[in-house]
Amino acid sequence: MLHTSYIELSKDALNSNINYIRKRIGKDVKYSMVVKANAYGHGIEELLPMIEECGVDHFSVFSVAEAMRAWEIKQEHCELMIMGFVDDDYLQWAIERDISFFVFTLHRLKKVIEVAKKMDQAARIHVELETGMHRTGFCEDEMEEVSRLLKKHSKHLEIEGICSHLAGAENIVNYRRITNQIERFKELCDWFGAEGFQPKYRHLACSAGVLNYPSSILDMVRVGISNYGFWPSDETKMMHMKEEGFEEDPLDRVLSWKTEIMSVNRVKEGNYVSYGKSYLTNRDSKIATAPVGYGYGFSRNLSNNGHILVKGKRVPVVGSVNMNMLVMDVTDVPDLKVGDEVVLIGKQGDAVISVGSFSDMNNSMNYELLTRLPNHIPRRIVP
Ligand SMILES: *Cc1c(COP(=O)(O)O)cnc(C)c1O
């Protein structure tokens, strides 16, 4: 092992998740897989071709920089959509390639018209509407002006979609807010229809929408985290499994993160381990290290808090997580040797470390912990 750890990406798990979601949305709904933030930390270069093999042909990213990376790897027939940041200077780049993007301010809309006119080409846009998240999207008082501009410049605008985003569908306390948003979005779609616009895709649902709010599934879905086999939150999982009557998790984790034992030491009772005084041995202990620390994506928050798998057993991280290594208490693991496999995220025997239980933190940390996985860790594709 040249690098200090590696990430495995499972083809079968990805395929099974995609099939599961596809079955749920039905075959007439466009499936856009969200691959922003380096495919949620999985590694877009490796993952995107794997997704294509599963038959998905539409990808959503956040920015032009991400779109450029995806553009380099994707097959020609696959489509790209930018949901967030597009600098004025890069509008031309996107329009030239027929990459679609969200438009959510009058500034953006006017610039798009200006650039598309100059290029004498139509820009493919998705008009984002404010429905209750109060983040991005056209507000009610802008709608007349938006409609006027869209009509006036119809030659240079292809209105491919209208969309909005749900404000926390993974959390049941937001139930009213989310159902109001779904209603509001449908009203706005009707208003758009009455104005004479017939966009190909109306889209609102993210993972939690698809899993818990079937009424948010319209002509297209933008699904991220659940493709990778993670739930948006524990609640989403509980609600979904209860509704469907499942005993077992229908999603499979695509990613595993592994390293190996670097050293094993004996430490007598009553000694501090690693920097400072945060961990004191309360028995004669066996302490092991692995060459992964916060500098490699293993959060310092997991100091004296996280767990790791060795020899199919869960062992605690002890002391502070260092920049390049972490220390674990392996007193209860017999026959542990240098070079033995260490699982930071994933399965080993019957034991599992999900990203959520990676610490005892809430599952909604999945998003953050995943996207912190550095791109320099080598990826290996496994069945
Ligand atoms: C990230 C994102 C999604 C996907 O969300 P998941 O919860 O990962 O499915 C969908 N839409 C927008 C606008 C997003 O930013």
Side-chain angles (χ1 to χ4, degrees):
M1 205 166 68
L2 168 65
H3 291 270
T4 68
S5 69
Y6 58 94
I7 284 171
E8 284 180 352
L9 301 170
S10 161
K11 275 191 193 176
D12 291 347
L14 181 68
N15 198 31
S16 149
N17 299 335
I18 289 176
N19 286 339
Y20 184 73
I21 295 159
R22 190 179 273 132
K23 217 164 72 202
R24 183 149 179 95
I25 63 174
K27 63 175 179 11
D28 296 333
V29 173
K30 188 74 185 174
Y31 194 140
S32 183
M33 177 142 172
V34 181
V35 293
K36 64 190 177 189
N38 198 26
Y40 288 52
H42 289 62
I44 195 168
E45 274 78 14
E46 290 78 9
L47 210 71
L48 201 136
M50 292 168 66
I51 303 167
E52 288 174 336
E53 268 180 45
C54 298
V56 173
D57 60 3
H58 195 284
F59 300 102
S60 293
V61 295
F62 180 77
S63 65
V64 169
E66 290 178 350
M68 283 180 174
R69 262 174 91 185
W71 180 262
E72 288 303 313
I73 342 162
K74 74 169 191 68
Q75 292 179 31
E76 209 174 308
H77 72 280
C78 294
E79 294 177 282
L80 274 180
M81 180 166 78
I82 304 172
M83 305 184 294
F85 186 68
V86 184
D87 189 90
D88 292 348
D89 294 344
Y90 288 93
L91 282 170
Q92 185 176 340
W93 181 87
I95 297 169
E96 260 166 16
R97 285 159 186 78
D98 218 16
I99 294 171
S100 65
F101 49 88
F102 285 19
V103 172
F104 41 77
T105 61
L106 284 167
H107 169 89
R108 161 80 346 107
L109 182 56
K110 288 173 185 164
K111 273 283 170 200
V112 171
I113 293 165
E114 184 189 313
V115 175
K117 259 195 177 151
K118 217 180 280 167
M119 296 169 67
D120 197 25
Q121 209 179 317
R124 223 204 258 197
I125 61 167
H126 290 246
V127 180
E128 190 189 352
L129 306 175
E130 166 51 44
T131 55
M133 185 163 187
H134 305 297
R135 185 179 69 174
T136 46
F138 288 111
C139 301
E140 199 164 355
D141 60 357
E142 292 170 313
M143 296 291 280
E144 295 286 343
E145 173 71 352
V146 170
S147 172
R148 191 186 67 77
L149 286 168
L150 294 178
K151 284 177 194 159
K152 183 166 172 210
H153 300 282
S154 60
K155 194 164 157 269
H156 295 105
L157 297 171
E158 179 194 339
I159 308 160
E160 190 183 45
I162 43 176
C163 56
S164 192
H165 190 48
L166 299 173
E170 70 283 356
N171 203 328
I172 191 71
V173 301
N174 302 326
Y175 182 80
R176 274 315 299 161
R177 189 172 177 196
I178 299 303
T179 48
N180 284 340
Q181 277 192 280
I182 298 171
E183 272 169 41
R184 177 74 186 137
F185 185 63
K186 288 180 178 167
E187 282 166 19
L188 288 169
C189 287
D190 291 344
W191 184 85
F192 250 76
E195 289 286 297
F197 300 108
Q198 293 299 338
K200 190 166 163 195
Y201 303 122
R202 296 162 302 150
H203 51 107
L204 184 60
C206 53
S207 293
V210 167
L211 295 163
N212 295 146
Y213 296 89
S215 64
S216 70
I217 303 171
L218 301 167
D219 309 309
M220 179 195 249
V221 295
R222 308 179 306 260
V223 185
I225 198 127
S226 50
N227 288 301
Y228 305 93
F230 294 97
W231 292 85
S233 65
D234 283 339
E235 277 173 46
T236 331
K237 181 177 175 181
M238 275 160 47
M239 273 170 64
H240 186 73
M241 288 182 55
K242 186 159 168 262
E243 246 153 57
E244 301 292 323
F246 291 143
E247 296 281 324
E248 271 183 44
D249 190 342
L251 301 178
D252 281 336
R253 253 55 80 211
V254 170
L255 174 145
S256 307
W257 186 18
K258 298 177 177 177
T259 177
E260 58 183 46
I261 296 287
M262 185 168 73
S263 68
V264 184
N265 276 359
R266 300 256 166 208
V267 182
K268 288 243 173 281
E269 181 184 345
N271 285 290
Y272 292 111
V273 172
S274 189
Y275 291 118
K277 293 186 172 176
S278 73
Y279 185 79
L280 180 70
T281 52
N282 58 9
R283 58 178 173 170
D284 287 352
S285 302
K286 200 164 66 173
I287 296 294
T289 61
V292 173
Y294 60 81
Y296 305 149
F298 196 92
S299 171
R300 256 190 118 234
N301 293 334
L302 301 173
S303 300
N304 282 312
N305 187 10
H307 286 87
I308 279 166
L309 304 179
V310 285
K311 298 237 165 207
K313 281 204 161 86
R314 242 173 119 87
V315 299
V317 173
V318 297
S320 56
V321 172
N322 305 167
M323 184 189 291
N324 317 101
M325 69 175 102
L326 55 88
V327 186
M328 56 201 122
D329 177 4
V330 293
T331 315
D332 300 325
V333 186
D335 305 325
L336 189 71
K337 298 183 307 296
V338 168
D340 282 349
E341 182 186 79
V342 174
V343 172
L344 304 170
I345 301 176
K347 283 186 203 153
Q348 197 183 46
D350 293 332
V352 185
I353 301 271
S354 66
V355 180
S357 64
F358 193 50
S359 64
D360 285 329
M361 287 182 256
N362 186 301
N363 241 348
S364 60
M365 292 294 289
N366 279 348
Y367 292 90
E368 190 181 341
L369 291 169
L370 283 171
T371 51
R372 266 200 220 146
L373 289 171
N375 199 33
H376 60 70
I377 300 175
R379 267 69 173 173
R380 297 178 186 174
I381 297 166
V382 298

